[in-house]
Amino acid sequence: MDNPGKFYITTPIYYVNARPHIGHTYTTVVCDTVARRQRMMGCDTWFLTGTDEHGQKIERSATAAGCSPKEFADRVSGEFRQLWDRMKLSYDDFIRTTEPRHVRGVQALFRRLQERGYLYKGSYSGQYCVSDELYVDVAEPGAPCPECGRPTETVHEENYFFKLSAMEEPLLKLYTENPDFIRPDARRNEVISFVRRGLRDLSVSRTTFTWGIPVPGDEKHVIYVWLDALANYITALGYGSDDPSDKARLARYWPADVHMIGKEIVRFHCVYWPAFLLAADIPLPKSIIAHGWLLFEESKMSKTRGNIVRSETILDTLGADTLRYFLMREIVFGSDGSFSFDALVQRFNSDLANGLGNLSSRTLSMITRYFDGEIPYPSSGARDASDDAIAELAQQTIADFHAQFEQFQFSRALETAWGLVAAVNKYIVEQEPWSVAEKDDQDSRARLATILHTSAEALRIVTALVHPVIPESTARIWEQLGLGDIGKLNLRELTWGQLPLHTKLGKVEAVFPRADKSTIERMQQMEQERAAQTAVAAITEPTEQQRTPETPHPPAAPQPAVAAANDTITIEDFTKVELRVALVKVAERVKGADKLLRLEVDLGTETRQIVAGIAKAYDPEKLIGRKVVIVANLAPRKLRGLESQGMIVAASLGDDGVPVLAGFLEDVPVGARLK
Ligand code: MSP
């Protein structure tokens, strides 16, 4: 990490089938912190993030949301970007895989692999996991994916194949010769044993869907989504472009210094990506660093589990720095860590409000009170061992903090910095500057000056060190210290004793207000409201056309995930409801009722007419041929003179109750019962 020249760091590009949550925020904050620190060390830094927008998963989510994949991707990609901007993340570029620069670059890479003889056409028959966008090795059709447990789909197609098998030896050589290529070691060992078990050629195109980048010259194929996605790390710099400024950027920043990823995508980054690059004769990234998962109630946060925490909830209550500090301090980098609102508030109060906040406000307010807002200078005659101990500890803190940070031990580095905060707070209590101030003799005045100078200098050091982690609040403390723009500081030069003479403080005010139980309750309440709005696996924000539906059998209002004990029903109650899969044969608008559609659905044994209030959310043409779920034993009722012989099942989104039809990822027979 300590390269004084250039530094290029990337996050994974995030799928747009899920809205951003604090799991995504975690990776992005880690990269942002590292990038900020590299810049403060005087390094020419490039920080890339973005969104991964192609593939069957996104295509299906878009269909479920009733919009085109591009509209869908625009919306969710926009949300990621808005959140990162709201958090003032310091990315230099945000790549979207639907951008022309990326499409051009991926096609150039594909052609290059072809020209170098690494691609061939063959036919593939096997199981595919749509969720992981991965071909898997399972015994039976439909068997669960070994990665995520979801059912796989059978795929028979003619594909382009990449000669991954030819890369086994070069990859093993790479891992052996570059022990830092994959970090931490546990991940490296996993990858090595995976490759040692043998690599089979990889299918790198698909013909069964169209939402992807066409294979150049053979456009019925789209390029495999992981080849498309991984290439972002070079296309964003300009790979595939003839423009001189793109070429210069690519030459300047590639190879990447760090690809930061979550542990579940290690194989793609540590096996496929270097294999593609080796085959294309493009230099390899220097390191791939995998972190653990952020867990909520012991399981990985995911949309499917419905245990997501949104960053916005924390930003709206305690601010971005609190979230950043928590993520960097509480999670031991590389291991899984848990999130809870209680732990967040506890960290905030103990470390930020009581720790750094208290040090800052008591030091600065005493300088205001006793020295008219000008940082006093220490006099050598008034120094004692306690001041020297603080100076020594500060020097040691600088050295340890840097060393730990360089090793990605963020939590330990912060613990080190807060060791200094605690020591100075203790020093202030022991030295009792307020009592010294009561004495009016010259020696006491010199002693008071020394104590407050020592405290201010230690505060300056901690503030500088942790600026990459909590940039907003440290910038404010820096200004209050009268030091101006913290952005101008070179961290490499930070050392004890640099406080300029006659520094006049800026306006002193509290940086971290205290939080209490009501803050936790407020956050939990906000989360519940957000969860209710996003209670389904599909996209949430209604488009203009999706607003104000009228539902004859309105989808139920969003319910808490677990019903209160006295609201439970027995299994017998549930089995009274006959839910069945039905195929839409006819769908048309109902004259004079702009919210209603008349459907004819095939139940296998009979055809039913259903009148559904989904016209604002679904075009009738798009529903024909779609499998839906209906309540088949509901008493018929009339709507606009038409008999509705059942009810279509939909999730209800947002305050407007926008319906999203229930469906299946796997193929299901018409008439199948849900139980
Ligand atoms: N699109 C692929 C990556 C392609 S990179 C060429 C993808 N996207 S994703 O949206 O699923 O994002 C995965 C990444 O988000 C993880 O690798 C991790 O960086 C981050 N996280 C998502 N959920 C997370 C947690 N619960 N905890 C920690 N990180 C998490 O995979």
Side-chain angles (χ1 to χ4, degrees), residues 12-15 21 23-24 26-27 52 226 229-230 232-233 261-262 264-265 269 291-294 300-301:
I13 47 170
Y14 303 109
Y15 284 132
H21 58 70
H24 306 115
Y26 176 58
T27 316
D52 188 353
W226 272 98
L230 289 160
N232 90 88
Y233 301 132
I261 58 170
E264 78 291 356
I265 52 177
H269 283 79
H291 62 68
W293 285 340
L294 196 55
K300 181 176 182 238
M301 256 175 241

Side-chain angles (χ1 to χ4, degrees), residues 10-19 21-28 50-54 57-58 80 97 131-133 225-233 259-266 268-269 273 289 291-296 299-302 305 307-308 331 335-337:
T10 64
T11 71
I13 47 170
Y14 303 109
Y15 284 132
V16 290
N17 69 323
R19 302 175 72 190
H21 58 70
I22 65 167
H24 306 115
T25 304
Y26 176 58
T27 316
T28 322
T51 42
D52 188 353
E53 306 183 6
H54 289 131
K57 186 159 60 173
I58 314 287
F80 272 95
T97 55
S131 176
D132 288 337
E133 300 283 8
V225 67
W226 272 98
L227 173 54
D228 165 346
L230 289 160
N232 90 88
Y233 301 132
H259 287 320
M260 184 73 70
I261 58 170
K263 65 182 180 183
E264 78 291 356
I265 52 177
V266 162
F268 302 100
H269 283 79
W273 181 226
I289 300 183
H291 62 68
W293 285 340
L294 196 55
L295 308 175
F296 189 69
S299 49
K300 181 176 182 238
M301 256 175 241
S302 83
R305 290 195 190 92
N307 64 348
I308 279 170
I331 294 149
S335 312
D336 291 349

Side-chain angles (χ1 to χ4, degrees), residues 60-67 72 75 533-543 546 549 551 554-556 613-618 623 626-629 648-654 656-664:
R60 285 181 180 174
S61 297
T63 307
C67 62
F72 184 82
R75 207 187 302 156
Q533 285 166 16
T534 55
V536 283
I539 182 63
T540 51
E541 291 297 327
T543 57
Q546 286 175 317
T551 37
I614 55 173
K616 294 268 174 177
Y618 291 93
L623 286 177
R626 181 165 167 167
K627 284 178 182 162
V628 293
V629 176
I648 196 156
V649 175
S652 167
L653 301 189
D656 297 329
V658 175
V660 173
L661 294 181
F664 297 90

